[in-house]
Amino acid sequence: MRHLISFAIFLAAVAAYASGLGPLFFGTPLVGTVLALAGVLFELAFWLRLFRRAPSK
């Protein structure tokens, strides 16, 4: 389920980049950057929690 949320956030970031949403007139739109960073952070948090749960001997 978490991967689906991250994938949806990445799709929203791509849509924001493609449509040019954001307060900036030139350059990378701020909304797309924030969404892409949020997706990366969610995936990073998922993988870090997964590796911390690994059983230790």
Side-chain angles (χ1 to χ4, degrees), residues 4 9 18 22 27 30 32 36 54:
L4 292 176
I9 289 174
L30 183 61

Side-chain angles (χ1 to χ4, degrees), residues 26-37:
F26 295 107
T28 306
L30 183 61
V31 175
T33 303
V34 170
L35 288 171
L37 285 175

Side-chain angles (χ1 to χ4, degrees), residues 2-3 44-55:
R2 292 181 188 193
H3 295 295
L44 184 63
F46 170 78
W47 288 106
L48 287 176
R49 289 181 71 197
L50 183 69
F51 286 127
R52 284 186 187 170
R53 275 195 220 161

Side-chain angles (χ1 to χ4, degrees), residues 11-25:
L11 284 179
V14 169
Y17 278 123
S19 66
L21 287 175
L24 302 177
F25 187 70

